[in-house]
């Protein structure tokens, strides 16, 4: 295992922010993680675990140790006629896992196609798209406790999964290094087409009885048409979570904007798309030199090239202040700030 010094983080985050890390190392075995933790402890360094850097904003030089998890492997733990349980290493690529699952006839995750990132990060914010969340498939997680250096096993029921939320953003934040995730996948397809434009895309292609491969293709096509590709324009997907507001606040907004979209989110609360609020407030497509709000998706802040993490952060704060002033809603960032 090699610990590099003073490296640029630009290739390691999809925003393409060029901050530096004082120390950086890649770990593909638990022993390497333990050695890296011992190194950080000896030097008294701050630690940060990094997957593919697709949900992170670096706003300062990181003067500690960045540990990039890169273990590999997909293993079938058990299987019957209806289900398969697979154990997947944290360093595997998420989209590749979805594609491999489809190829093997393991279904359910096709609506989560093309989400960037690593398998290990997927449970942290309980990734979700097109009406499906990863928690529906997670059975258990193995993590290395960074304080005891011992592996721990936690069941999905103990992970407190919520909307873009889990125990790994709270009690276990900074402590659990996710090492492998166990998924239960299904052998009988149950396509979910009701969300977003999936049904419309399938109808346009003349597909009346879609299978999981059709769903994956439709999701990939929709995502490619709506979201900027980080390989071309730096971004981290949705910058903010969709706010969940109490019904009377929603009713007040509705008086002024009768067309406000919403989804039920509890007995007395509704979820409002943050992208709608930001677009309505006039931010969509606004550019400030090196960075701005994407022209096709108001929820995505982009780095056109050369923006600093603080440029992006300041823009996000300006948007938050404006939404608070116009709608009385405090937007929460989905992206992790460092
Ligand atoms: C174009 C685009 C589209 C996106 N679309 C979606 C979407 O539809 N739905 C959605 O939910 N998300 C979406 N995202 C966000 C992102 O893809 C997910 O959050 C993804 O799970 C992040 O994975 P990562 O490996 O890149 O994590 P990173 O960005 O590397 O890390 C994210 C956080 O997890 C921590 N972390 C990472 N790996 C580990 C580990 N092994 N153990 C412990 N902590 C760890 C990091 O410290 C950090 O706090 C999108 C991002 C982009 C760029």
């Amino acid at each position: 295992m090699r610990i590099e010094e003073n490296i640029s983080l630009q290739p390691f985050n999809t925003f393409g922010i060029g901050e530096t890390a004082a120390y950086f190392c890649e770990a593909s075995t638990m022993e390497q993680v333990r050695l890296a933790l011992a190194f950080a402890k000896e030097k008294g360094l701050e630690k940060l675990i990094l997957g593919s850097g697709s949900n992170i904003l670096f706003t300062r030089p990181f003067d500690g140790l960045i540990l990039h998890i890169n273990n590999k492997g997909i293993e079938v733990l058990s299987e019957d006629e209806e289900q398969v349980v697979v154990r997947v290493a944290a360093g595997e690529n998420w989209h590749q896992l979805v594609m491999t699952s489809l190829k093997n006839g393991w279904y359910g995750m096709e609506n989560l196609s093309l989400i960037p990132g690593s398998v290990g990060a997927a449970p942290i914010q309980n990734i979700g798209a097109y009406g499906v969340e990863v928690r529906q498939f997670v059975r258990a997680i193995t993590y290395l406790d960074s304080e005891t250096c011992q592996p721990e096993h936690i069941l999905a029921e103990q992970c407190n999964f919520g909307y873009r939320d889990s125990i790994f953003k709270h009690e276990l934040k900074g402590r659990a290094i996710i090492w492998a995730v166990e998924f239960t996948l299904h052998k009988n397809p149950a396509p979910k087409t009701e969300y977003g434009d999936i049904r419309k895309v399938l109808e346009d292609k003349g597909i009346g009885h879609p299978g999981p491969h059709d769903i994956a293709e439709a999701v990939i096509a929709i995502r490619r048409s709506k979201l900027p590709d980080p390989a071309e324009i730096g971004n981290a997907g949705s910058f903010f979570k969709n706010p969940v507001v109490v019904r009377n606040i929603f009713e007040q907004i509705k008086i002024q904007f009768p067309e406000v979209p919403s989804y039920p989110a509890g007995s007395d609360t509704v979820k409002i798309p943050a992208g709608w609020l930001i677009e309505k407030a006039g931010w969509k497509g606004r550019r400030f030199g090196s960075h701005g709000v994407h022209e096709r998706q108001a929820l995505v802040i982009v780095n056109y090239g050369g923006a600093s993490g603080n440029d992006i952060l300041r823009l996000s704060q300006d948007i938050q202040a404006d939404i608070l002033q116009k709608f009385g809603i405090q937007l929460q960032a989905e992206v992790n700030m460092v």
Side-chain angles (χ1 to χ4, degrees):
M1 185 196 55
R2 202 156 60 93
I3 297 184
E4 295 174 78
E5 284 182 48
N6 264 326
I7 69 141
S8 166
L9 291 170
Q10 199 154 19
F12 298 103
N13 70 98
T14 58
F15 258 125
I17 301 295
E19 290 291 359
T20 52
Y23 299 95
F24 182 95
C25 94
E26 199 166 286
S28 49
T29 66
M30 271 205 193
E31 196 44 35
Q32 289 174 341
V33 177
R34 288 195 184 99
L35 288 171
L37 291 175
F39 174 85
K41 192 170 181 185
E42 190 193 310
K43 285 198 159 349
L45 300 172
E46 185 185 355
K47 305 177 290 286
L48 176 75
I49 311 304
L50 190 64
S52 308
S54 65
N55 199 17
I56 207 156
L57 179 66
F58 291 107
T59 61
R60 59 181 163 101
F62 189 77
D63 57 10
L65 171 74
I66 291 194
L67 190 53
H68 178 45
I69 302 297
N70 199 22
N71 58 336
K72 300 287 178 202
I74 301 177
E75 185 192 350
V76 174
L77 296 184
S78 65
E79 179 165 23
D80 62 23
E81 275 169 20
E82 288 179 358
Q83 291 184 332
V84 57
V85 177
V86 287
R87 184 175 199 270
V88 186
E92 289 284 348
N93 175 272
W94 174 262
H95 177 66
Q96 282 312 317
L97 171 64
V98 176
M99 292 298 106
T100 302
S101 301
L102 271 177
K103 209 170 79 195
N104 290 340
W106 308 334
Y107 303 131
M109 304 202 294
E110 42 281 352
N111 294 46
L112 304 178
S113 297
L114 214 63
I115 297 182
S118 60
V119 167
I124 293 176
Q125 73 156 6
N126 177 27
I127 58 167
Y130 298 96
V132 171
E133 290 180 328
V134 74
R135 70 163 150 191
Q136 294 166 243
F137 311 99
V138 174
R139 188 178 83 145
I141 290 170
T142 302
Y143 66 87
L144 196 78
D145 185 321
S146 64
E147 283 173 25
T148 63
C149 281
Q150 292 305 311
E152 302 287 344
H153 199 68
I154 180 171
L155 296 174
E157 302 85 270
Q158 299 167 290
C159 290
N160 299 342
F161 285 125
Y163 166 60
R164 299 295 179 273
D165 205 14
S166 74
I167 193 169
F168 303 104
K169 295 187 95 173
H170 302 281
E171 292 95 312
L172 292 179
K173 188 178 167 69
R175 180 155 182 174
I177 302 174
I178 296 186
W179 194 247
V181 185
E182 290 173 26
F183 298 95
T184 303
L185 301 172
H186 306 283
K187 296 208 173 160
N188 298 313
K192 292 194 179 57
T193 59
E194 38 318 305
Y195 204 93
D197 290 339
I198 297 181
R199 191 168 289 155
K200 182 176 177 306
V201 168
L202 292 167
E203 276 168 13
D204 288 351
K205 288 169 92 179
I207 299 171
H209 299 285
H213 289 83
D214 301 314
I215 303 280
E217 275 174 30
V219 168
I220 290 169
I222 298 167
R223 293 184 70 97
R224 286 209 171 115
S225 72
K226 286 198 169 159
L227 290 170
D229 179 355
E232 288 161 18
I233 307 176
N235 75 91
S238 305
F239 199 94
F240 302 102
K241 295 187 197 182
N242 292 320
V244 175
V245 300
V246 291
R247 193 163 281 280
N248 65 356
I249 295 223
F250 173 69
E251 296 302 340
Q252 279 167 28
I253 295 173
K254 215 171 161 186
I255 293 169
Q256 207 185 341
F257 304 100
E259 74 281 18
V260 56
S262 68
Y263 306 93
S267 57
D268 193 36
T269 49
V270 293
K271 198 187 273 182
I272 301 179
W276 183 88
L277 295 167
I278 298 168
E279 183 172 349
K280 206 75 198 168
W283 289 93
K284 191 176 178 182
R286 284 182 69 184
R287 184 169 174 166
F288 305 88
S290 59
H291 59 291
V293 177
H294 192 247
E295 59 199 6
R296 274 175 283 144
Q297 175 51 271
L299 203 43
V300 178
I301 298 183
V302 291
N303 173 12
Y304 291 106
S308 70
N310 273 312
D311 291 332
I312 306 279
L313 178 63
R314 270 193 297 271
L315 172 56
S316 74
Q317 290 167 339
D318 289 346
I319 294 172
Q320 280 173 317
D322 194 36
I323 299 302
L324 186 60
Q325 198 244 323
K326 290 196 167 104
F327 299 99
I329 293 176
Q330 179 66 56
L331 290 182
Q332 306 288 339
E334 180 176 315
V335 171
N336 299 279
M337 315 283 179
V338 175

